[in-house]
Amino acid sequence: MNQEASLFSRASTEIVDLHRFFVDWFVAARADAVDFGRFEAVMGEGLTMIAPSGAVLGRDAVVDHVRQSRATCDDGFAIAIEDIRPGWQTDDAIVVLYVEAQLRGGKLSRRQSSAVFTTSSSAPNGVEWRHLHETWLQVPER
């Protein structure tokens, strides 16, 4: 496996793993068994996030929001990650595009996301989040 495929693979695994963390952290029945330190370990210093609303958040605001959202969802909350694909890349940084689909309170929402990752030997999957941009997508009619 070449360096580029390895970095994309690690970033893709990180995206899926982090969203599994979110489900476990947000679902009240599972939250007690979750280590919040895992989340903090992958949020890189200087992280910025552009929320679907357009709000620009720094690392501290993102970490605080997630910490305060613990156990706020019922067992029906779910997240699916779809259409993961690589974007721009160097030896130690990559942009990854993906769609996040959430089911919350019986309502489906979708967002197109682009995330910048850099390598980190101390992060669980060898990459940390540096920038995230999310944009609402229309949910197809059923």
Side-chain angles (χ1 to χ4, degrees), residues 89-110:
Q89 181 173 343
T90 67
D91 287 344
D92 62 355
I94 187 169
V95 174
V96 180
L97 309 167
Y98 62 95
V99 173
E100 175 183 343
Q102 283 191 17
L103 182 61
R104 183 184 302 228
K107 294 185 180 182
L108 181 65
S109 66
R110 293 170 43 89

Side-chain angles (χ1 to χ4, degrees), residues 61-80:
V62 172
V63 170
D64 288 346
H65 173 74
V66 172
R67 183 181 286 118
Q68 293 171 9
S69 298
R70 180 185 169 279
T72 56
C73 295
D74 63 25
D75 287 341
F77 178 67
I79 298 176

Side-chain angles (χ1 to χ4, degrees), residues 32 35 107 131:
D32 286 342
D35 175 17
K107 294 185 180 182
H131 182 77

Side-chain angles (χ1 to χ4, degrees), residues 115-128:
V116 176
F117 296 91
T118 56
T119 58
S120 170
S121 60
S122 63
N125 290 309
V127 294
E128 59 186 12

